[in-house]
Amino acid sequence: MSKDEITEQAAAFDAIGEKYDEVFADKRAQVEATRWLAERLAPGDRVLDVGCGSGVPTAKLLAEVGFSVHGIDVSKEMLRLARQNAPGATFEQADMMTFSSEPGAFGGIAAFFSLLMLRKSDIPAALRKIARALRPGGYLVLSMVEGDFDFLALPFLGHAVHVSAYPQEALEVVLREAGFEILDTEVVSFSAEEQAERQLYYRCRVAAAV
């Protein structure tokens, strides 16, 4: 993605702000995946929330149970909300392609509906970067919307955003090629703004340093 494309995506979510959580209030699957991650981490582990949005529910939940949570997002407005909602976490304005960390710095990483904001050509590299940021045996929880399109402009809460999606089998190939073992999958049917979608939730482990 170009710098201009990242800026455009950030501007859309700056404008969406609190409306996101109002429309997507049912976050049962995300809460359950976050709790699954929490159950597998060591006390005080570092966790990265990629595309943290408003901080609800993931960063808030993980910080409240004692993990060292660092959230990144491109949207200043989402980060403002996240700092209010999850004061026990730290947040940084950054995109997942330029964010850097030491190899093995995190015990767990969450990426809920954030990779879909990238071009398909960038998603494998983003996943490899996530794998390197995890310690050997570390865990990733991730969600995507199922589909077959690449950086397609779609209306979203009154704004245009670009999103990418894979068919389920193709996404699983990409995950495995990036170094992840898929431990569990949940498919959720979700409807919002008169649009129905299949959401794919993955619970993964990185087998070794990548």
Side-chain angles (χ1 to χ4, degrees), residues 186-203:
E186 181 180 5
V187 180
V188 176
S189 296
F190 188 87
S191 297
E193 292 194 306
E194 300 181 355
Q195 295 181 355
E197 59 188 33
R198 274 169 51 95
Q199 298 177 345
L200 307 175
Y201 284 81
Y202 289 96
R203 294 151 169 84

Side-chain angles (χ1 to χ4, degrees), residues 56-85:
V56 178
T58 299
K60 182 176 187 292
L61 190 157
L62 292 171
E64 286 178 345
V65 294
F67 297 109
S68 176
V69 181
H70 187 73
I72 62 172
D73 204 288
V74 297
S75 166
K76 289 182 180 179
E77 175 62 13
M78 286 298 185
L79 290 169
R80 183 189 69 80
L81 294 170
R83 292 183 180 107
Q84 288 182 350
N85 292 329

